[in-house]
Amino acid sequence: GAGVSQSPRYKVAKRGQDVALRCDPISGHVSLFWYQQALGQGPEFLTYFQNEAQLDKSGLPSDRFFAERPEGSVSTLKIQRTQQEDSAVYLCASSLAGYNEQFFGPGTRLTVL
Amino acid sequence: TQLLEQSPQFLSIQEGENLTVYCNSSSVFSSLQWYRQEPGEGPVLLVTVVTGGEVKKLKRLTFQFGDARKDSSLHITAAQTGDTGLYLCAGRSFGNEKLTFGTGTRLTIIP
């Protein structure tokens, strides 16, 4: 498939554990976005990459959240010392360039117990 | 904090009826998009409106962008069960690549 893929699709973590969520964007897409979607809510912006450069991380809720895209393709969102309030679906989206249509992956549903 | 308020939050209507979903903000947006999201999937883009006052029609769906670029509406004519889903509006501010999503409207069409 040529769409955005995310892994794992589901993740259960105990409070205090670290987790890493992976996003494989559409090949050739320069821009990559991470969003957090709480149950029953619309997605909220976390961070944005243009190639390997993280241009906006204003939506990251705390310093426990860290994202990287070292080679300008695959991206990883890492959450350290997970808390129950981190439970949500984490969506990744990619686009040809920042202002083009964003294509979303299926998301990773994180549950923190 | 979500700057785009959608109403209603939940809507359940009979197949064949018409409906309108509203998306309102106090902020001005350079463009506004509407998405539909199915359970277990990411949002899928339906339409982008970029000009104040713009109206776009896609089959039974009509989208309108307010003159002041602060609000939008989605009207569905003769709803079908396949229209069931979570409808999200999302705005993009001038000079900003990120999307600000609305609170969502969960639509259920009853056969």
Side-chain angles (χ1 to χ4, degrees), chain A residues 9 33 35 37 40-45 48 56 58 91 98-102 104-106, chain B residues 1-2 9 35 37 40-43 45 86 88 92 95-99 101-104:
Chain A
R9 291 293 315 275
F33 303 80
Y35 295 86
Q37 186 173 24
Q41 299 290 316
E44 293 202 12
F45 170 79
Y48 159 56
D56 187 345
S58 62
L91 294 166
Y99 293 98
N100 292 109
E101 177 182 354
Q102 293 182 24
F104 284 82
Chain B
T1 304
Q2 306 210 246
Q9 188 177 358
Y35 291 81
Q37 186 176 23
E41 298 179 10
L45 181 66
L86 178 66
L88 296 160
R92 180 176 277 138
N96 212 325
E97 297 86 354
K98 69 183 181 186
L99 293 172
F101 280 88
T103 47

Side-chain angles (χ1 to χ4, degrees), chain A:
Chain A
V4 177
S5 61
Q6 293 186 245
S7 60
R9 291 293 315 275
Y10 303 91
K11 177 70 178 178
V12 178
K14 292 184 179 179
R15 192 161 59 101
Q17 283 185 331
D18 297 349
V19 298
L21 312 180
R22 177 187 169 108
C23 172
D24 282 83
I26 294 172
S27 178
H29 277 195
V30 168
S31 299
L32 186 145
F33 303 80
W34 283 98
Y35 295 86
Q36 180 191 58
Q37 186 173 24
L39 188 64
Q41 299 290 316
E44 293 202 12
F45 170 79
L46 293 176
T47 187
Y48 159 56
F49 290 86
Q50 189 175 90
N51 294 307
E52 68 278 3
Q54 190 174 19
L55 299 187
D56 187 345
K57 53 182 182 180
S58 62
L60 295 176
S62 77
D63 58 7
R64 296 186 296 104
F65 286 71
F66 172 76
E68 61 183 2
R69 195 185 183 198
E71 297 179 357
S73 179
V74 171
S75 177
T76 304
L77 176 66
K78 297 179 179 178
I79 309 173
Q80 297 177 323
R81 304 181 303 282
T82 52
Q83 304 293 316
Q84 283 188 322
E85 61 262 29
D86 300 334
S87 295
V89 173
Y90 290 85
L91 294 166
C92 174
S94 71
S95 67
L96 276 172
Y99 293 98
N100 292 109
E101 177 182 354
Q102 293 182 24
F103 294 85
F104 284 82
T108 294
R109 180 176 294 279
L110 173 65
T111 302
V112 182
L113 303 177

Side-chain angles (χ1 to χ4, degrees), chain B residues 22-88:
Chain B
Y22 298 93
C23 173
N24 294 292
S25 175
S26 58
S27 301
V28 175
F29 294 101
S30 63
S31 66
L32 198 135
Q33 302 178 337
W34 284 91
Y35 291 81
R36 192 172 96 184
Q37 186 176 23
E38 304 283 354
E41 298 179 10
V44 175
L45 181 66
L46 296 174
V47 77
T48 300
V49 285
V50 297
T51 305
E54 182 177 2
V55 177
K56 274 191 176 178
K57 289 191 175 183
L58 295 175
K59 298 183 180 179
R60 296 177 295 102
L61 277 60
T62 301
F63 305 85
Q64 186 163 7
F65 198 13
D67 291 340
R69 315 172 77 99
K70 294 183 179 180
D71 55 85
S72 181
S73 63
L74 158 61
H75 183 78
I76 300 178
T77 303
Q80 300 176 356
T81 54
D83 296 328
T84 293
L86 178 66
Y87 287 81
L88 296 160

